[in-house]
């Protein structure tokens, strides 16, 4: 049954329930796939023994006629930003060398509680700071899709390892985190579904923090239905996270009715940015047509502050990060590089422990919070952030979801855009606004570029209305009929 | 009399404001579930949050919020229904997060008042600018090893209230009165134990000076590491004199942080400019704004205990005590509680006198607090019972009290054992008087010759003859009758 790795989560769940195969078999196939695809560098830590142990427990549960939850026996990959009990957790940073937490993040605990089997910890940009998965201390991740003449491409970032693992059939699903697009953009680059739920939907407890007011965990899967299933087992209020929303978790899968007749879909004018590539523009127009023919009503809307979103994001996120990363001081865990004084030890440890992009963001964040600049940068950015939220709120008075491209380009080659951080930051231009407003967004693979590379479209919804987003995404997925097959491999 | 310090060219006034850090009494820390017991083994009261492990998040402890609101109400201050926690960023080994969670821009408590009880019995109001909540840091221990420092995180994350006064204080005495009064209010409220020697109440003293008559504030020094009321008072005087010296020499006082050294009796600059901290405060994104309802505040207000000012008024109006006595008795909650037991069923002034004069002398002598008093309030009350019902005289009572202090026995059994019961039997007293009159004809003659002052000598003789047990009233009356013949 070599196809076990080609199943969707929904299919695997049904197969397990029907006894067509065991969780151990399913897991073994994925462990083999992980080994075969090590060249992609998608995982920092593989945990095959743990996976087989948990798969065995899942089989025992099923044999006894009970399942733990909707993910029972499903092998998944976990971004190495989530703390996992007894398993090395690195955030892809040298500074967390050897850090093995004695605790499990709420999101991974929820997944464990629903029976999911963790295959390992996936690679990412260091501390989730990046859009190409090239800033990892553990080396860059390679996109399973190949460019011209088999050229290696980036998987996007920061959840590049998770996206690559799902695209390359190493896991049925993966969890990522999204601060400014870190789930949606790599999903788009790797041809998978990636959803960032509403801020507060998933607990942040036990997830290494990048930017607290933006970080949000979400699923990366091969189908919209799988994203709905997985999100259902990750989400939920957590008293240990003060920003976690006291909302019940709806049956997301049940929302996938396939019926969007009368649904109002907004098209934000301001996302038609200058220089938008014609093929992305064409795909977007195609998306509009698909939804229209499924019975949706298309409405032009305006989000006037969109152009400010990226600069605002690159003030707020680094500001929060500069404080969040202060705890990595070499004193209690991770890397310590000695020095003759405390200050020297700090300097040595942090200079050696943090990579260039992390240092850049700490510097930016420290600068924008410093005396004399706080009002001009941070306070102003917060005001504009509120305006961006209000723009969305106003738009949602008239529409139910928004349709936009996910990223301004398809995956690019490793080495491109590396010298220009600003060009790299542009990757998040379509994903950042929803992050700033805390809104749910999903990237659905919707077509191929002229180079045969996957392109995603993004749907953005109202706060805590993931159901409508998923419903529309399901329709988009059906219409696009994206076969999620890898070009070079043709499997 | 206002406090001024003479300088070379005239008199100087001292302007002082205090920032008091008061550790909140709570079972667990401000943002974690770890316990807060003082004196525990190092690093045994540390949660994952307190150690700033990756991915850990703060969750506000409601008990600490209640305590802060309670304190605000006790300071007659406005309670801000919305307050916000900010991060104050700096690196130090005993600050695991690399930032302290505090409230800079929107504190939980706004303006209030503390009423000082001055030594002459008068009172004066001192403005409170604000009270905010914040986390304490851990402790660095530098003296266990020549090369290394040790870190104890037990205190890390413990809840503090920073109570900031207006620059309304003008003398070391004001500072002492303010600190004692604030401590008294906190203890009455049960929101801070006020133990400066255990560090659960610490203060920074902001001092500036200006020529008498000038109204603008000059540059101030913030003096840190002042860990007793006495040191705070000393620090004010030392720092004020230092600043006056600088002005007298034609210099300018720098606005800076200084450290008080009680051994050398000096303050010295703590940080040079290049180390000046930029704390980069910003709202903590891990915490939502703290929003209270008026009902929540009202419920706490309804349960507030009687505070020292109200109690002092009551002692003055109901018990007829002087402002001074009332102030002394209410200063400590334990003293007031002790006093009220002693005063029960007795003359409140007599009770006040016994507590303030006799009991305090013993406590001072033994160096113990009233909660460790060798004579309990109930026992002292028992002694006053014997005075009130004329079983013993006030003089004998003092002797009995001494025995009570030494032996721990109750007054009634001491009186019984030692046969100190007052003689109220007219016949016995009369016999003693007759004997003394018979033995001292010269003195009788003096008395009858007009020297009435000698009556006191006779009283003494009678008391001596009765081992002090004769009822002094009866002795006076019967002696006068007999001597006058």
């Amino acid at each position: 049954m070599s196809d076990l790795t080609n199943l969707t989560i929904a299919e695997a769940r049904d197969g397990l329930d029907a006894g067509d195969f065991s969780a151990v078999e399913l897991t073994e196939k994925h462990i083999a796939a992980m080994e075969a695809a090590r060249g992609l560098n998608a995982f920092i830590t593989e945990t095959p023994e743990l996976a087989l142990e948990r798969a065995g427990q899942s089989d025992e549960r099923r044999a006894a006629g009970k399942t733990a939850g909707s993910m029972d026996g499903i092998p998944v990959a976990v971004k190495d930003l989530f703390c996992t009990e007894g398993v090395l957790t690195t955030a892809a940073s040298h500074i967390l060398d050897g850090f093995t937490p004695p605790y499990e993040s709420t999101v991974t605990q929820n997944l464990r509680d629903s029976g999911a089997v963790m295959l390992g910890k996936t690679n990412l940009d260091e501390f989730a700071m990046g859009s190409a998965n090239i800033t990892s201390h553990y080396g860059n991740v390679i996109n399973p899709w190949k460019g011209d003449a088999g050229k290696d491409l980036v998987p996007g970032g920061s959840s590049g390892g998770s996206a690559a693992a799902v695209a390359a059939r190493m896991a049925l699903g993966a969890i990522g985190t999204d601060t400014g697009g870190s789930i949606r953009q790599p999903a788009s680059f790797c041809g998978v579904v990636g959803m960032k739920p509403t801020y507060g939907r998933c607990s942040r407890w036990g997830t290494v923090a990048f930017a607290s007011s933006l970080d949000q965990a979400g699923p990366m899967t091969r189908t919209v239905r799988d994203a709905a299933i997985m999100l259902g087992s990750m989400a939920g209020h957590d008293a240990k996270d003060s920003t976690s929303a006291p909302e019940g978790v709806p049956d997301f899968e049940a929302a996938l009715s396939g019926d969007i007749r009368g649904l109002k879909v907004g098209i934000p004018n301001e996302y038609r940015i200058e220089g938008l590539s014609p093929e992305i523009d064409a795909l977007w127009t195609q998306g509009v047509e698909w939804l229209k023919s499924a019975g949706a009503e298309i409405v032009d809307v305006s989000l006037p502050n969109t152009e400010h979103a990226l600069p605002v994001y690159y003030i707020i996120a680094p500001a929060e990060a500069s404080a969040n990363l202060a705890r990595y001081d070499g004193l209690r865990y991770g890397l310590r590089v000695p020095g003759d004084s405390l200050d020297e030890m700090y300097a040595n440890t942090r200079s050696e422990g943090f990579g260039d992009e992390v240092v850049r963001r700490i510097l930016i964040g420290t600068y924008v919070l410093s005396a004399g600049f706080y009002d001009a940068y941070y306070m102003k950015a917060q005001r504009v952030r509120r305006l961006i939220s209000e723009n969305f709120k106003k738009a949602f008075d008239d529409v139910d979801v928004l349709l936009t491209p996910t990223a301004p380009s398809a995956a690019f080659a490793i080495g491109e855009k590396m010298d220009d951080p600003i060009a790299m930051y542009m990757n998040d231009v379509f994903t950042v606004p929803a992050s700033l407003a805390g809104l749910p967004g999903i990237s659905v693979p919707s077509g191929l570029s002229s180079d045969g590379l996957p392109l995603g479209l993004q749907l953005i919804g109202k706060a805590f209305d993931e159901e409508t987003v998923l419903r529309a995404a399901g329709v988009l997925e059906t219409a696009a009929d994206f076969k999620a097959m890898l070009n070079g491999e043709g499997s | 009399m206002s406090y001024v310090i003479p300088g070379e060219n005239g008199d100087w006034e001292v302007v002082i404001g205090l920032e008091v850090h008061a550790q909140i009494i709570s079972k667990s820390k401000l943002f974690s579930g770890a316990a807060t017991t003082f004196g525990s083994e190092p690093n045994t009261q540390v949660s994952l949050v307190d150690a700033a492990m990756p991915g850990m998040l703060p969750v506000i402890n409601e008990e600490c919020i209640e305590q802060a609101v309670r304190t605000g109400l006790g300071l007659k201050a406005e309670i801000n229904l919305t307050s916000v926690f900010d991060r104050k960023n700096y690196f130090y080994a005993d600050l695991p997060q690399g930032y302290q969670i505090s409230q800079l821009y929107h504190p939980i408590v706004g303006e209030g008042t503390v009423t000082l009880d001055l030594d002459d019995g008068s009172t004066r109001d001192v403005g409170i600018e604000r009270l905010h909540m914040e986390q304490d840091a851990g402790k660095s221990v530098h003296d266990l090893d020549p090369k290394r420092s040790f870190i104890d995180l037990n205190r890390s994350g413990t809840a503090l209230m920073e109570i900031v006064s207006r620059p309304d204080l003008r003398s070391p005495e004001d500072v002492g009165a303010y600190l004692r009064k604030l401590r008294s209010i906190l203890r009455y409220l049960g929101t801070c134990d006020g133990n400066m020697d255990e560090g659960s109440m610490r203060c920074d003293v902001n001092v500036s000076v200006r020529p008498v008559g000038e109204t603008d504030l000059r540059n101030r020094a913030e003096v840190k590491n002042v860990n007793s009321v006495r040191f705070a008072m000393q620090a004010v005087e030392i720092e004020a004199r230092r600043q006056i010296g600088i002005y007298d020499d034609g210099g300018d006082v720098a606005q800076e942080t200084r450290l008080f050294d009680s051994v050398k009796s000096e303050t010295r600059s703590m940080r040079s400019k290049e180390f000046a901290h930029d704390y980069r405060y910003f709202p903590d994104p891990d915490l939502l704004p703290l929003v209270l309802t008026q009902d929540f505040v009202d419920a706490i207000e309804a349960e507030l205990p009687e505070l020292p000012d109200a109690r002092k008024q009551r002692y003055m109006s109901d018990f007829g005590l002087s402002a001074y006595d009332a102030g002394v008795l209410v200063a400590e909650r334990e003293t007031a509680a002790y006093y009220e037991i002693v005063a029960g069923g007795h003359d409140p002034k007599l009770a006040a006198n016994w507590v303030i004069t006799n009991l305090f002398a013993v406590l001072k002598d033994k160096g113990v607090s009233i909660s460790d008093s060798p004579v309990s309030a109930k026992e002292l009350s028992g002694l006053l019972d014997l005075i009130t019902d004329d079983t013993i005289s006030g003089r004998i009572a003092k002797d009995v009290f001494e025995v009570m202090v030494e032996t721990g026995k109750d007054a009634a059994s001491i009186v019984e054992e030692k046969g100190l019961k007052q003689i109220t039997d007219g016949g016995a007293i009369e016999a003693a008087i007759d004997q003394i009159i018979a033995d001292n004809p010269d003195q009788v003659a003096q008395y009858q010759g007009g020297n009435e002052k000698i009556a006191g000598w006779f009283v003494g003789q009678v008391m001596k003859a009765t081992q002090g047990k004769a009822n002094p009233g009866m002795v006076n009356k019967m002696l006068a009758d007999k001597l006058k013949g």
Side-chain angles (χ1 to χ4, degrees):
Chain A
M1 299 225 17
S2 66
D3 303 316
L4 285 185
T5 57
N6 272 325
L7 297 174
T8 65
I9 290 173
E11 288 163 355
R13 179 186 60 188
D14 295 346
L16 287 165
D17 282 345
D20 295 344
F21 46 84
S22 69
V24 168
E25 285 174 277
L26 186 62
T27 300
E28 281 170 342
K29 292 289 181 197
H30 283 94
I31 291 170
M34 279 162 69
E35 284 170 8
R38 273 192 192 138
L40 299 180
N41 198 26
F43 284 84
I44 291 174
T45 304
E46 296 176 5
T47 55
E49 294 86 2
L50 194 64
L52 288 170
E53 184 191 319
R54 288 184 189 164
Q57 290 161 356
S58 170
D59 285 335
E60 284 167 24
R61 280 193 295 272
R62 267 208 175 74
K66 47 192 175 198
T67 56
S70 57
M71 295 288 290
D72 209 342
I74 305 296
V76 298
V78 171
K79 187 179 186 180
D80 203 14
L81 200 65
F82 294 89
C83 290
T84 42
E85 189 180 358
V87 177
L88 182 72
T89 298
T90 68
S93 181
H94 187 27
I95 208 153
L96 273 168
D97 269 7
F99 174 63
T100 303
Y103 50 92
E104 183 85 29
S105 80
T106 298
V107 163
T108 49
Q109 185 63 51
N110 288 348
L111 276 172
R112 268 174 78 172
D113 290 346
S114 72
V117 170
M118 182 176 80
L119 292 163
K121 307 290 294 288
T122 56
N123 206 340
L124 65 150
D125 280 299
E126 185 181 2
F127 281 104
M129 296 176 186
S131 305
N133 219 133
I134 50 167
T135 70
S136 168
H137 176 66
Y138 297 90
N140 63 289
V141 175
I142 295 167
N143 194 325
W145 295 75
K146 296 297 166 197
D148 271 353
K151 203 194 252 177
D152 281 346
L153 305 175
V154 302
S158 67
S159 309
S162 290
V166 174
R169 298 331 190 240
M170 291 188 265
L172 291 180
I175 49 174
T177 62
D178 190 313
T179 304
S182 279
I183 287 174
R184 292 161 287 166
Q185 184 256 18
S188 179
F189 278 21
C190 292
V192 300
V193 174
M195 181 167 209
K196 180 199 91 75
T198 311
Y199 181 79
R201 178 66 91 180
C202 291
S203 169
R204 294 185 297 111
W205 191 89
T207 309
V208 173
F210 161 17
S212 309
S213 72
L214 295 155
D215 295 346
Q216 189 55 212
M220 306 181 80
T221 55
R222 290 196 289 267
T223 67
V224 173
R225 179 171 301 278
D226 288 359
I229 294 169
M230 209 165 158
L231 178 61
S233 69
M234 297 165 63
H237 177 243
D238 180 6
K240 290 186 287 186
D241 174 1
S242 308
T243 62
S244 156
E247 300 275 333
V249 181
D251 182 346
F252 294 119
E253 197 181 357
L256 302 174
S257 64
D259 183 0
I260 57 161
R261 282 172 300 175
L263 189 80
K264 290 183 177 164
V265 178
I267 309 300
N269 288 322
E270 290 79 4
Y271 281 54
R272 293 192 189 283
I273 54 170
E274 205 181 319
L276 181 64
S277 96
E279 61 185 18
I280 302 266
D281 199 11
L283 180 72
W284 191 8
T285 306
Q286 178 66 68
V288 170
E289 290 308 315
W290 283 330
L291 294 179
K292 200 193 263 176
S293 39
E297 187 188 328
I298 306 300
V299 183
D300 282 332
V301 297
S302 175
L303 299 169
N305 287 289
T306 299
E307 62 170 320
H308 303 306
L310 212 51
V312 163
Y313 174 84
Y314 277 99
I315 290 169
I316 291 173
E320 293 181 6
S322 71
N324 282 335
L325 271 59
R327 64 188 57 200
Y328 306 106
D329 56 10
L331 272 157
R332 297 169 306 286
Y333 45 76
L335 180 73
R336 177 189 294 186
V337 183
D340 287 338
S341 68
L342 183 64
D343 285 342
E344 211 179 291
M345 187 196 78
Y346 285 152
N348 292 347
T349 301
R350 290 168 67 84
S351 301
E352 189 169 325
F354 290 136
D356 289 347
E357 184 61 28
V358 172
V359 169
R360 180 179 296 123
R361 298 201 194 191
I362 291 173
L363 290 175
I364 293 170
T366 304
Y367 178 80
V368 299
L369 290 176
S370 57
F373 299 105
Y374 178 78
D375 288 347
Y377 290 104
Y378 187 80
M379 286 292 280
K380 197 173 202 173
Q382 288 290 24
R383 281 200 295 277
V384 177
R385 182 180 186 176
R386 271 193 293 280
L387 292 177
I388 290 168
S389 286
E390 283 162 18
N391 288 169
F392 274 111
K393 207 166 276 170
K394 190 155 176 292
F396 282 123
D397 285 344
D398 302 326
V399 301
D400 302 302
V401 289
L402 300 169
L403 180 72
T404 79
T406 304
S409 73
F412 44 87
I414 291 165
E416 276 178 43
K417 308 191 188 189
M418 306 291 169
D419 303 332
D420 183 354
I422 303 293
M424 190 64 89
Y425 294 169
M426 284 300 289
N427 272 292
D428 300 326
V429 68
F430 298 131
T431 48
V432 151
S435 294
L436 289 170
L439 302 175
I442 193 169
S443 178
V444 180
S446 303
L448 296 174
S449 70
S450 53
D451 294 338
L453 295 173
L455 296 170
L457 286 175
Q458 175 180 230
L459 287 155
I460 300 167
K462 299 173 189 171
F464 299 104
D465 189 17
E466 284 86 354
E467 289 163 280
T468 301
V469 175
L470 286 163
R471 189 153 52 94
V475 171
L476 189 63
E477 176 184 48
T478 305
D481 196 25
F482 184 85
K483 284 304 178 200
M485 292 297 123
L486 299 178
N487 51 3
E489 301 180 8
S491 54
Chain B
M1 260 302 281
S2 55
Y3 175 86
V4 293
I5 298 178
E8 283 175 13
N9 306 310
D11 286 344
W12 294 81
E13 179 182 46
V14 188
V15 180
I16 310 141
L18 294 185
E19 291 167 24
V20 171
H21 292 85
Q23 196 181 98
I24 293 177
I25 295 175
S26 62
K27 285 187 279 298
S28 49
K29 296 183 178 180
L30 184 53
F31 296 112
S32 85
T36 55
T37 317
F38 179 80
S40 305
E41 284 293 301
N43 296 312
T44 57
Q45 307 202 341
V46 186
S47 76
L48 296 169
V49 176
D50 308 322
M53 300 299 281
M56 291 301 101
L57 299 171
V59 176
I60 183 85
N61 174 352
E62 189 170 330
E63 188 189 5
C64 295
I65 300 170
E66 286 175 14
Q67 291 286 57
V69 169
R70 192 168 284 128
T71 305
L73 294 169
L75 299 175
K76 293 170 257 176
E78 65 184 294
I79 305 300
N80 295 323
L81 294 181
T82 300
S83 62
V84 178
F85 287 99
D86 301 300
R87 291 183 183 178
K88 176 182 181 177
N89 296 284
Y90 65 96
F91 283 96
Y92 201 64
D94 54 24
L95 186 76
Q97 291 169 144
Y99 55 84
Q100 175 194 34
I101 305 178
S102 181
Q103 296 187 305
L104 176 68
Y105 299 108
H106 303 282
I108 187 166
V109 175
E111 295 198 38
T113 309
V114 167
T115 304
L116 304 191
D117 300 293
L118 301 172
D119 283 346
D120 62 3
S122 66
T123 62
R124 191 152 70 73
D125 284 350
V126 172
I128 295 294
E129 189 179 304
R130 56 185 281 157
L131 175 156
H132 67 255
M133 288 189 275
E134 62 186 26
Q135 299 175 296
D136 208 344
K139 265 185 195 159
S140 296
V141 183
H142 300 296
D143 53 4
L144 292 178
D145 186 284
K147 281 193 165 168
R148 294 174 302 167
S149 292
F150 292 83
I151 307 295
D152 177 7
L153 295 180
N154 281 354
R155 209 179 62 186
S156 167
T158 303
L160 296 178
M161 297 178 281
E162 180 170 328
I163 303 166
V164 182
S165 84
R166 294 243 169 242
D168 288 351
L169 304 165
R170 293 288 178 272
S171 68
E173 287 65 37
D174 280 0
V175 168
Y178 174 81
L179 285 172
R180 283 191 296 267
K181 186 56 174 285
L182 184 61
R183 185 168 61 186
S184 166
I185 293 170
L186 297 176
R187 286 176 171 170
Y188 267 71
L189 292 165
T191 56
C192 171
D193 65 24
N195 292 334
M196 291 186 89
D197 50 352
E198 287 179 2
S200 53
M201 190 166 135
R202 312 192 283 272
C203 80
D204 301 336
V205 186
N206 288 292
V207 181
S208 66
V209 297
R210 62 187 175 194
V212 170
E214 192 173 295
T215 51
D216 287 348
L217 293 171
R218 295 195 173 193
N219 275 353
R220 64 172 191 270
E222 183 183 353
V223 184
K224 290 193 176 286
N225 193 35
V226 184
N227 50 19
S228 78
V229 175
R230 196 164 54 87
F231 287 161
M233 294 170 70
Q234 280 177 13
V236 166
E237 176 155 8
I238 289 163
E239 176 57 21
R241 290 191 185 281
R242 184 189 72 87
Q243 292 183 12
I244 292 166
I246 291 173
Y247 288 126
D248 278 347
D249 293 346
D252 251 326
V253 168
Q255 184 119 345
E256 61 172 356
T257 306
R258 300 180 69 83
L259 193 77
F260 176 63
D261 185 330
S262 60
V263 178
K264 293 186 183 160
S265 275
E266 64 174 27
T267 68
R268 56 176 179 270
S269 188
M270 256 178 88
R271 297 178 190 126
S272 55
K273 282 224 174 76
E274 59 266 37
F275 285 108
H277 275 123
D278 178 354
Y279 291 120
R280 292 172 281 118
Y281 280 97
F282 75 107
D284 191 329
D286 285 335
L287 293 160
L288 303 172
L290 176 59
V291 180
L292 310 176
T293 63
Q294 191 58 48
D295 286 351
F296 176 84
V297 176
D298 291 346
I300 293 170
E301 186 155 32
E303 298 291 318
L304 280 188
E306 184 186 38
L307 292 173
D309 289 336
R311 187 169 280 197
K312 180 180 169 190
Q313 280 309 317
R314 182 162 62 83
Y315 285 8
M316 288 164 69
S317 57
D318 293 6
F319 297 162
L321 301 189
S322 68
Y324 179 82
D325 283 359
V328 169
L329 289 172
V330 304
E332 297 286 344
R333 194 181 188 173
E334 294 77 11
T335 308
Y338 189 106
Y339 166 70
E340 290 191 14
I341 293 171
V342 176
H346 305 123
D347 173 8
K349 285 186 187 169
L350 177 73
N353 207 32
W354 269 91
V355 171
I356 294 171
T357 310
N358 305 72
L359 179 72
F360 280 10
V362 167
L363 298 181
K364 195 178 172 198
D365 182 47
K366 299 205 172 290
V368 296
S369 72
I370 198 159
S371 32
D372 298 320
S373 167
V375 176
S376 74
K378 230 178 141 189
E379 286 162 349
L380 183 54
S381 175
L383 179 64
L384 264 65
D385 283 345
L386 300 180
I387 301 171
T388 307
D389 68 8
D390 277 342
T391 304
I392 54 173
S393 67
R395 214 191 65 70
I396 289 288
K398 284 176 187 151
D399 299 337
V400 174
F401 183 65
E402 269 179 36
V403 181
M404 290 169 76
V405 170
E406 294 313 317
T407 64
K409 290 184 182 165
D410 67 276
S413 35
I414 293 166
V415 168
E416 188 64 34
E417 273 172 33
K418 300 203 178 254
L420 295 174
K421 204 165 177 289
Q422 184 161 248
I423 300 169
T424 50
D425 170 0
I429 294 172
E430 190 174 3
I433 291 173
D434 287 348
Q435 186 65 47
I436 285 163
I437 286 176
D439 291 350
N440 299 287
D442 290 356
Q443 280 80 358
V444 173
Q446 281 182 38
Y447 181 86
Q448 286 169 349
N451 182 4
E452 293 197 359
K453 279 185 193 157
I454 206 160
W457 179 83
F458 279 102
V459 173
Q461 292 302 305
V462 176
M463 296 309 281
K464 199 172 164 189
T466 59
Q467 291 93 47
K469 292 184 289 185
N471 179 307
M474 291 173 76
V475 171
N476 280 331
K477 188 171 179 306
M478 291 169 76
L479 246 180
D481 291 349
K482 292 262 178 196
L483 285 172
K484 280 172 187 157

